[in-house]
Amino acid sequence: MRKTGIILAAAAFAMVFAGTSLAQGLRVAVIDVNKILNDSEAGQAAKKKMEARYEELKKTIDVKQEEARKIKEEIDKQKVMVGKEKLKEKEDALLAKLNELRQMTQEGEREMQARQGELTRDVLKSVEAKVDIVVKADKLDLVLEKSAGVVHYNTSMDITQRVLTLVDEDGKATPEKKATPEKKAAPEKKGGGDGK
């Protein structure tokens, strides 16, 4: 519902704006943010981090599932030979293992959702900044998100690749920017205050 409201508001804005400045020439562009999230180096790196963490969680869960399976097999084999008290102990152990497994799975899902949101947010900040650069450079009046209801557009209006290139260039420069200030900033904070 909210997305529909945003689309309608953007369309209404575009119509009003187009009506008042049609003679001046409304400059509109289209962008596919999902393509940038999926194809950019930053997006690919975020995806790899997510996949690596998912594999870690999956291994841990698989171990717990195997432990539960062994307990279940043990119960099935010894059901007739073991006394009720011993059987109850094993069933309680199985139930505890299954509860632990369920809790671990739920926590893993929550963690993955939180990480995905965090990593996506970081890439989106970069995309936003690069869209601003293109908007200023091309003096655009309106940028529409392709997946937000754009039915048709001329491909010359698509700024996706330009923004993607800028995001990737920024990603290549980021490690150098981060490495230099950290090396300088730490000693200045500790030693710089004493020397002055």
Side-chain angles (χ1 to χ4, degrees):
M1 287 300 266
R2 187 172 178 214
K3 194 172 187 178
T4 305
I6 292 170
I7 293 168
L8 292 175
F13 173 77
M15 284 189 283
V16 168
F17 197 83
T20 58
S21 63
L22 193 56
Q24 297 166 355
L26 180 66
R27 297 190 47 86
V28 180
V30 176
I31 189 167
D32 186 348
V33 175
N34 286 329
K35 178 175 174 47
I36 297 171
L37 287 173
N38 292 323
D39 295 353
S40 68
E41 290 176 16
Q44 293 289 328
K47 188 177 180 181
K48 283 180 184 171
K49 284 181 187 175
M50 289 289 294
E51 288 170 353
R53 182 59 184 147
Y54 172 79
E55 287 303 318
E56 286 176 23
L57 291 171
K58 187 178 181 307
K59 283 179 187 174
T60 306
I61 289 170
D62 287 348
V63 167
K64 295 293 179 191
Q65 282 180 327
E66 184 60 22
E67 290 172 4
R69 187 189 62 74
K70 285 180 180 176
I71 294 171
K72 173 85 168 90
E73 280 180 4
E74 208 174 294
I75 290 171
D76 290 343
K77 286 179 185 175
Q78 299 176 354
K79 225 176 205 176
V80 179
M81 296 186 284
V82 178
K84 286 186 178 183
E85 285 182 30
K86 194 74 172 168
L87 185 63
K88 175 86 170 106
E89 279 179 31
K90 291 200 179 276
E91 286 174 344
D92 288 346
L94 176 61
L95 187 61
K97 192 65 69 180
L98 291 173
N99 285 336
E100 184 182 354
L101 184 61
R102 187 178 310 112
Q103 183 179 356
M104 189 179 287
T105 303
Q106 290 170 348
E107 287 173 2
E109 287 172 1
R110 281 193 295 270
E111 179 188 332
M112 292 303 290
Q113 287 174 349
R115 278 178 180 254
Q116 183 175 11
E118 184 181 306
L119 292 170
T120 301
R121 200 167 28 253
D122 290 344
V123 178
L124 284 174
K125 282 181 188 175
S126 177
V127 171
E128 248 179 68
K130 303 314 171 203
V131 167
D132 285 346
I133 290 170
V134 174
V135 165
K136 288 174 185 168
D138 291 1
K139 297 179 181 163
L140 297 172
D141 298 309
L142 182 66
V143 178
L144 300 172
E145 162 50 50
K146 184 179 175 184
S147 66
V150 175
V151 179
H152 175 76
Y153 63 93
N154 185 320
T155 54
S156 66
M157 298 170 69
D158 193 337
I159 61 170
T160 304
Q161 192 56 49
R162 286 177 61 199
V163 173
L164 175 60
T165 302
L166 290 170
V167 168
D168 282 346
E169 286 173 1
D170 189 43
K172 289 175 185 171
T174 301
E176 295 168 12
K177 288 178 188 174
K178 284 184 179 175
T180 306
E182 286 176 3
K183 288 178 184 174
K184 290 181 181 176
E188 285 177 23
K189 287 180 182 176
K190 290 178 184 174
D194 297 336
K196 289 183 182 177

